[in-house]
Amino acid sequence: MTDTRSPFAPLRHQTYRTMWLASLASNLGGLIQAVGAAWMMTALTTSENLIALVQASTALPIMLFSVVSGALADSFDRRRVMLAAQFLMLVASLLLAVFASSDLLTPGLLLMFTFVIGSGTALHNPSWQASVGDMVPRPDLPEAVSLNSAGFNIMRSVGPALGGVIVAAAGAATAFAINAVSYFALIYALLRWKPDYPKNPLPRETLGSAISAGFRYVAMSPNLEKVMVRGFVFGLSAGSVLALLPIVARDLLEGGPLTYGIMFGAFGVGGIAGAFLNAGIRQQLRSEQIVRTSFTGFALSAATIGLSTSSVITFLALVLAGICWVVTLSLLNTVVQLSTPRWVVGRALSLYQTATFGGIAGGSWLWGYWAEEFNPTNALVMSSLLMLAGAALGLRLPMPDFRSLNLDPLNRFVEPSLGLEIQPRSGPIVIQVDYDIADEDLPEFLSLMAERRRIRIRDGARNWALMRDLQYPEIWTETYHVPTWVEYVRHNQRRTQADAETTDRILALHRGEKVRVHRMIERQTIPSTRDDVFHQPHIDTH
């Protein structure tokens, strides 16, 4: 039966609805500020490269700091992280308004302030996106992601045009002040929200360990790696349109800030359409078909924008670009969320953002430099060729089909009672698991153990190996290390319901009632007069 879920289903949940409405106000202010910053740079300098760097200065901190922000989102209270980000952006926006109204802004100062605002966005986004799963049930998650895109693009359809009017009538300083006021809606909503996070009896991971765990999880998840690569290529190529749009409005269309705002708004109109078309598109096309079509559509849009001198044609091309932008990025975001368990979702999203916004930041600099060395038309046409190459990349790195895995904790692990008293930080811990496997089952067993290796390493195991007993060749031993006992417990708690199939199939091949699990603490051989230098390992059946 075809899923006919309403795209507005997440709005039934009060917390999500309140946060979504508050985000509308915040996004409106941010887009007004973006128009003010981009147009002020055109007044401060004639350098195409510096103008394009306004977008890069906002995207670059998302690339640089999202990984740390993702670790903070998974390790700390996400609500407090978002509040800290909002206050940071509020202060930066107020200072930007003061400097602009006092005629103290220079190109360098403008880029610095937009960089700080981008840093606040980098801190906010992983916690906000990871919190969507805390506000709505899992079946509503795809629609919630699409609604987030729709909300942003509703504001992008009116915010830039409104920003153009404000800048033309009252100056960029007023646009910056309005943005500062807009943060209060989201701050108020966050102060009222009282999330009920599950209690974790384990100590919090250190920041370095949390970041390492996020990298390891993504590196051992082939589907996520494909998302990262396609997100980077899309950002690198498609970032040309927004980076060069002020130049397009000023030079190719011979307009002013209002023209720029209207064209920016056209991109937002397309984004709204793309957000509401998402559900129907996903029912009709596979993920790779959607991404490939969006890359191709954006390439057509970029080339048209670069070659057109007609406001109407450019407007329509920007609508198509907005559709392709939202369809692609919302699908990639949803795939990340549905492919990642809650314990690491903030870090996975942050790495996705690092890849995508790293591409946008790099593309903004690249196409701005290209436009300055040659011309904007040449830069946009060349970026469209790179987009076509990104579509062809799907032949080698196809996107996974859109599906939802059960990534809830498996909750089968029970911390064993040990014969040797140890501390949570005791280690290193060595784990050995013995299996009795018949010869006829070896091909299937080895295939399953390859998947087991990926899952083990993804969840924190080190030095994984599979060994066969030379004297009793039917006995196979899986072995791996973890740094400490608490990391061993954490490793087992990370196992999900989706991982259970591999575990159950391996256990079904084992001959005997239970596999033997050896849990040992590693000790160095050092001179000692004591007789208990070597402790006996803890052995049980599991």
Side-chain angles (χ1 to χ4, degrees):
M1 179 181 294
T2 301
D3 186 2
T4 56
R5 297 182 62 84
S6 168
F8 302 102
L11 294 178
R12 295 175 301 184
H13 307 285
Q14 182 178 356
T15 298
Y16 177 81
R17 184 171 64 250
T18 301
M19 295 290 289
W20 186 79
L21 291 172
S23 295
L24 290 184
S26 182
N27 289 334
L28 177 63
L31 288 162
I32 291 172
Q33 184 269 338
V35 171
W39 200 256
M40 171 155 275
M41 186 62 85
T42 66
L44 294 174
T45 180
T46 58
S47 169
E48 284 87 350
N49 197 19
L50 282 174
I51 294 170
L53 282 178
V54 173
Q55 176 173 275
S57 66
T58 302
L60 183 62
I62 298 177
M63 180 194 73
L64 294 176
F65 306 135
S66 280
V67 175
V68 175
S69 301
L72 293 174
D74 288 330
S75 302
F76 292 85
D77 185 325
R78 290 170 182 151
R79 169 178 165 273
R80 293 185 179 181
V81 173
M82 287 187 281
L83 279 169
Q86 292 300 310
F87 280 114
L88 173 64
M89 291 187 284
L90 171 61
V91 171
S93 297
L94 285 172
L95 290 174
L96 180 58
V98 170
F99 273 71
S101 62
S102 303
D103 293 327
L104 297 175
L105 269 187
T106 64
L109 282 174
L110 179 58
L111 291 176
M112 183 195 73
F113 281 121
T114 54
F115 183 89
V116 174
I117 292 171
S119 299
T121 303
L123 181 61
H124 174 83
N125 279 352
S127 289
W128 161 237
Q129 295 186 29
S131 293
V132 173
D134 300 325
M135 299 176 191
V136 302
R138 191 172 183 83
D140 287 341
L141 189 57
E143 286 73 27
V145 172
S146 292
L147 267 178
N148 285 348
S149 295
F152 179 75
N153 284 287
I154 287 171
M155 293 299 100
R156 183 146 61 182
S157 66
V158 299
L162 180 59
V165 172
I166 292 170
V167 172
T174 302
F176 301 149
I178 290 173
N179 180 44
V181 173
S182 72
Y183 292 116
F184 287 102
L186 197 49
I187 290 172
Y188 175 75
L190 286 167
L191 290 172
R192 286 179 56 86
W193 180 35
K194 305 297 180 184
D196 183 20
Y197 295 121
K199 302 296 183 183
N200 189 349
L202 298 179
R204 181 184 293 124
E205 290 181 275
T206 63
L207 187 60
S209 176
I211 292 173
S212 176
F215 275 109
R216 182 176 59 244
Y217 189 92
V218 170
M220 299 304 295
S221 303
N223 287 345
L224 293 181
E225 288 184 319
K226 293 176 182 177
V227 172
M228 305 298 165
V229 172
R230 300 300 286 280
F232 173 78
V233 175
F234 186 77
L236 182 66
S237 55
S240 63
V241 169
L242 292 181
L244 299 178
L245 192 55
I247 303 169
V248 169
R250 186 189 66 183
D251 298 344
L252 299 185
L253 301 180
E254 299 180 349
L258 182 57
T259 301
Y260 170 59
I262 291 172
M263 295 302 150
F264 202 163
F267 192 87
V269 169
I272 297 171
F276 289 113
L277 289 171
N278 257 334
I281 292 173
R282 287 198 300 263
Q283 292 172 11
Q284 300 298 322
L285 300 175
R286 300 178 66 176
S287 294
E288 177 55 34
Q289 293 173 313
I290 295 172
V291 172
R292 200 175 299 177
T293 301
S294 294
F295 266 88
T296 304
F298 210 107
L300 175 63
S301 300
T304 301
I305 293 165
L307 296 170
S308 170
T309 57
S310 166
S311 297
V312 174
I313 293 175
T314 300
F315 185 96
L316 295 175
L318 282 163
V319 170
L320 176 59
I323 293 173
C324 297
W325 179 278
V326 167
V327 168
T328 301
L329 295 185
S330 64
L331 184 137
L332 298 180
N333 184 297
T334 302
V335 170
V336 171
Q337 296 221 36
L338 293 181
S339 301
T340 312
R342 299 303 302 165
W343 69 267
V344 74
V345 66
R347 281 162 281 186
L349 284 166
S350 71
L351 286 169
Y352 158 68
Q353 288 190 356
T354 297
T356 303
F357 282 89
I360 293 172
S364 297
W365 173 84
L366 172 64
W367 305 121
Y369 173 81
W370 201 296
E372 187 163 344
E373 290 295 312
F374 301 99
N375 56 66
T377 296
N378 188 288
L380 286 163
V381 171
M382 291 303 297
S383 71
S384 71
L385 296 178
L386 182 57
M387 290 172 213
L388 293 177
L393 189 62
L395 299 174
R396 293 295 302 273
L397 295 173
M399 290 293 299
D401 287 335
F402 188 85
R403 62 194 183 103
S404 178
L405 300 173
N406 185 352
L407 298 177
D408 292 333
L410 185 58
N411 289 331
R412 289 185 186 176
F413 177 75
V414 177
E415 189 171 350
S417 175
L418 304 179
L420 178 67
E421 183 178 351
I422 61 173
Q423 299 299 316
R425 295 295 180 184
S426 297
I429 305 297
V430 182
I431 308 299
Q432 293 181 347
V433 187
D434 296 333
Y435 304 95
D436 187 341
I437 306 297
D439 286 345
E440 61 270 21
D441 292 329
L442 282 182
E444 182 181 1
F445 174 75
L446 293 175
S447 175
L448 289 169
M449 290 307 289
E451 176 65 10
R452 178 72 162 225
R453 172 186 179 275
R454 185 187 69 81
I455 293 171
R456 291 286 199 199
I457 296 175
R458 182 200 68 189
D459 290 348
R462 303 177 183 180
N463 303 324
W464 188 96
L466 181 64
M467 300 176 289
R468 190 175 192 180
D469 194 302
L470 292 176
Q471 187 173 2
Y472 304 101
E474 69 277 8
I475 301 300
W476 293 77
T477 300
E478 174 193 14
T479 180
Y480 63 92
H481 293 205
V482 287
T484 63
W485 180 255
V486 73
E487 290 302 320
Y488 171 67
V489 176
R490 201 190 309 276
H491 166 82
N492 282 278
Q493 289 184 350
R494 287 170 175 170
R495 202 173 307 167
T496 68
Q497 297 285 346
D499 299 329
E501 180 182 356
T502 299
T503 301
D504 291 343
R505 289 175 63 188
I506 292 172
L507 294 178
L509 297 177
H510 170 70
R511 297 183 301 185
E513 292 186 2
K514 293 183 178 180
V515 298
R516 296 186 69 195
V517 182
H518 308 255
R519 301 177 179 90
M520 296 171 281
I521 186 166
E522 187 176 290
R523 286 290 181 261
Q524 298 296 323
T525 303
I526 56 175
S528 175
T529 58
R530 296 179 58 186
D531 295 330
D532 60 347
V533 172
F534 298 102
H535 297 290
Q536 293 295 318
H538 172 79
I539 303 176
D540 71 358
T541 57
H542 176 66

